[in-house]
Amino acid sequence: MHPIWNIPELLAQILLFLDEKSDILRCALVCRSLSVEAARLIWKEVSAFRHLLGCFPYNTIATEMAGPNDSPSRTFLFLELPDTAEWDHMRFRASMVKELTLPSSDNYDALLEVIKRHKIDLTFPELVSLHLHVLVPKRLQTFLPLFASSKLQDLEITFEGYNERLINSALAILLVQAHQLRSLEVVATSLPETSQNHLSQIIETTPTINYLRLGLKTSHGENIVVAASRLPNLQDLSLEFMDYSGIRTEYTSGFPSLLSLETWSTFASTLAVVRAISSPKMAVFRLHIIDEIVVPPRGLCESMATMSNLKSVSFIFHRSRRPQWEDMEPLLACPLISTFLVTVSSPGFEIDDEVISAISRAWPNLTRLWLDGLEPTPKRFRRPTLRGLAGLLCGCPKLQEVILEVDARARQLRGTPVNTASATPGPHGKLSLNVRRSRIAEKSEVSISEYLMSVWPGECEVTSYWEESEWQGATWTRVGELVKQRGPSS
């Protein structure tokens, strides 16, 4: 055998070119040198703990299946205790795992009880990322003691259902283990008060956390948010508080390093968190407002507008018809915004050419603009004209995606020859333009497509929300076809 095959670092680099595990498995059969390095890749990421059990003889473990065939639940039982060599094989596999997932559909209580009773030394010394999903009403044991010596940096843990003893035990173990986590995700149907305190302590004693996701009842998560606000290195925060049990309307100023906030919560909870952010680097908001707000959200936008580094704003008002453009207007003071997406549970914003002109002047680096609604637009709805759209396209040459309803009837083109709408010089990328249910005149597809091509020299894809069976939908489809035939200008 050539000496080159004795250089493990070189073999590891060669094997990295293989994407499929089946190809790596074939390489493992070539020779011993390749076998060792291939094993490291094969067991580096384990999508389900049960795959590790293949090192035991088939007559050692029984699997009881229940539930539907497409997503069965499995219960694993030892028929007899594996011998020392078989446990050594299991440890060898475990020693190479860096990322491990334990699905909620798999029940290992019986196996864990044997490991605990016989004091079997099974650890995961190289484990960095753990995804632990627990269907708590049907569990008596937790895997967490096996990871005491692991190098955990990323932890995702989900508790489905109600089992106060098990949840408290799991978070108490995590508190003692004191992993230096960078990423922590905790989702629970219900989090007991003791566990809330444990989780707050885990956060307070782990300053290395830079990403935190909490999926909890609002009342269970509010004190944990207080602990999170003190994290010195927290950059990304995701709060999924999908109920109306919250009582907090304000937090003490904190989140000194936050860059990104995503929420699924009530307007009051979202506003309280946003107003508490003191980070000068805050750049991204993705806010899902789940309740029907009773006051204009302008105060929320005013708080956001004080953040000079703001680059991306996304609102989805799931149940509220109240937001109007006047509420969003304070954000025009943030010149770095490149993404602005708003969807409301109404026909959308009534805006005109003046508003569109203000947007193009305030946000010249805009790449994505959505002004969308979840309901059909009434006829007497104020919309920008095609000239207003042309001003947006000329003023924001970096645009990639636009959802905007306009008035594209033929009279809007009168007095505006195509050659007077000059495009901004320089390269233009591909633009996806969705005109929602824009009004349009019959047989105007040629003039409208020529007008759009005159103001956007790059490639452009035009779509609408009209049904193809409606004449408006067919007309807009024809506009898109004519623009596409032109292709990007040279």
Side-chain angles (χ1 to χ4, degrees), residues 226-450:
V226 173
S229 70
R230 304 188 189 108
L231 284 171
N233 298 302
L234 184 64
Q235 297 183 351
D236 298 293
L237 176 63
S238 177
L239 302 176
E240 299 170 20
F241 294 168
M242 300 289 286
D243 69 340
Y244 305 95
S245 64
I247 58 174
R248 274 188 176 270
T249 57
E250 63 178 349
Y251 291 94
T252 305
S253 179
F255 306 104
S257 301
L258 201 64
L259 300 177
S260 172
L261 172 66
E262 179 174 14
T263 66
W264 292 74
S265 62
T266 63
F267 177 75
S269 293
T270 300
L271 180 60
V273 175
V274 170
R275 285 180 169 172
I277 297 172
S278 64
S279 170
K281 300 178 181 179
M282 190 65 196
V284 178
F285 283 104
R286 295 184 295 274
L287 308 179
H288 295 252
I289 310 299
I290 65 172
D291 60 337
E292 184 174 357
I293 59 178
V294 295
V295 296
R298 185 179 178 93
L300 173 62
C301 294
E302 288 175 342
S303 296
M304 295 164 61
T306 62
M307 302 173 188
S308 59
N309 198 50
L310 199 57
K311 295 181 176 66
S312 178
V313 176
S314 173
F315 288 108
I316 297 183
F317 295 91
H318 289 268
R319 297 177 182 171
S320 184
R321 301 170 56 88
R322 191 177 185 91
Q324 295 298 323
W325 171 254
E326 290 75 15
D327 300 317
M328 307 289 119
E329 202 169 24
L331 292 168
L332 293 176
C334 302
L336 300 182
I337 286 181
S338 61
T339 297
F340 187 76
L341 314 177
V342 184
T343 300
V344 296
S345 60
S346 65
F349 294 136
E350 287 198 72
I351 57 175
D352 52 23
D353 288 355
E354 185 177 343
V355 170
I356 293 299
S357 177
I359 289 174
S360 61
R361 292 194 306 270
W363 302 330
N365 296 314
L366 202 61
T367 60
R368 300 178 71 205
L369 175 67
W370 291 8
L371 297 178
D372 203 2
L374 300 179
E375 294 182 5
T377 311
K379 289 184 178 181
R380 295 183 177 276
F381 196 82
R382 195 166 74 251
R383 307 166 175 85
T385 66
L386 280 175
R387 286 192 292 273
L389 175 61
L392 176 70
L393 300 184
C394 292
C396 304
K398 298 179 182 178
L399 277 169
Q400 299 172 9
E401 184 180 16
V402 175
I403 298 180
L404 178 68
E405 189 156 325
V406 298
D407 189 342
R409 289 172 295 177
R411 64 182 177 81
Q412 301 296 337
L413 289 173
R414 293 172 189 164
T416 309
V418 171
N419 58 12
T420 64
S422 56
T424 303
H428 288 64
K430 180 178 179 179
L431 172 66
S432 173
L433 173 62
N434 186 306
V435 295
R436 302 186 70 233
R437 295 178 64 87
S438 289
R439 303 177 74 181
I440 192 171
E442 293 185 81
K443 299 180 181 180
S444 61
E445 56 266 28
V446 173
S447 58
I448 291 177
S449 60
E450 289 179 349

Side-chain angles (χ1 to χ4, degrees), residues 20-167:
E20 300 294 333
K21 273 196 174 182
S22 58
D23 294 330
I24 300 174
L25 283 167
R26 293 188 188 96
C27 287
L29 301 175
V30 173
C31 64
R32 182 174 179 79
S33 297
L34 273 174
S35 176
V36 173
E37 293 306 318
R40 297 184 190 280
L41 287 179
I42 292 168
W43 297 109
K44 179 180 178 180
E45 181 179 341
V46 178
S47 59
F49 183 84
R50 63 179 178 270
H51 298 319
L52 292 168
L53 303 178
C55 61
F56 298 135
Y58 73 92
N59 60 349
T60 303
I61 293 180
T63 305
E64 295 180 355
M65 308 281 284
N69 292 332
D70 57 342
S71 58
S73 61
R74 303 174 179 85
T75 299
F76 297 88
L77 306 167
F78 274 124
L79 297 178
E80 60 180 75
L81 191 65
D83 61 30
T84 302
E86 291 161 355
W87 278 116
D88 287 343
H89 194 182
M90 177 67 160
R91 292 189 191 93
F92 175 69
R93 290 186 178 186
S95 70
M96 295 181 284
V97 177
K98 292 184 179 293
E99 181 173 356
L100 176 62
T101 299
L102 290 98
S104 61
S105 57
D106 292 352
N107 187 339
Y108 301 99
D109 277 1
L111 274 65
L112 291 170
E113 180 61 28
V114 169
I115 291 172
K116 180 180 178 181
R117 185 186 307 160
H118 292 273
K119 299 181 180 179
I120 294 169
D121 182 22
L122 178 62
T123 60
F124 294 78
E126 298 299 317
L127 190 67
V128 174
S129 180
L130 175 63
H131 311 279
L132 178 58
H133 306 287
V134 188
L135 194 61
V136 291
K138 299 182 179 181
R139 301 292 185 270
L140 300 172
Q141 304 281 348
T142 172
F143 262 93
L144 289 170
L146 304 184
F147 309 120
S149 63
S150 300
K151 302 174 182 178
L152 278 183
Q153 297 179 11
D154 306 318
L155 174 62
E156 176 190 7
I157 185 165
T158 302
F159 300 111
E160 300 177 34
Y162 302 87
N163 186 332
E164 185 170 328
R165 185 195 65 79
L166 180 65
I167 297 174

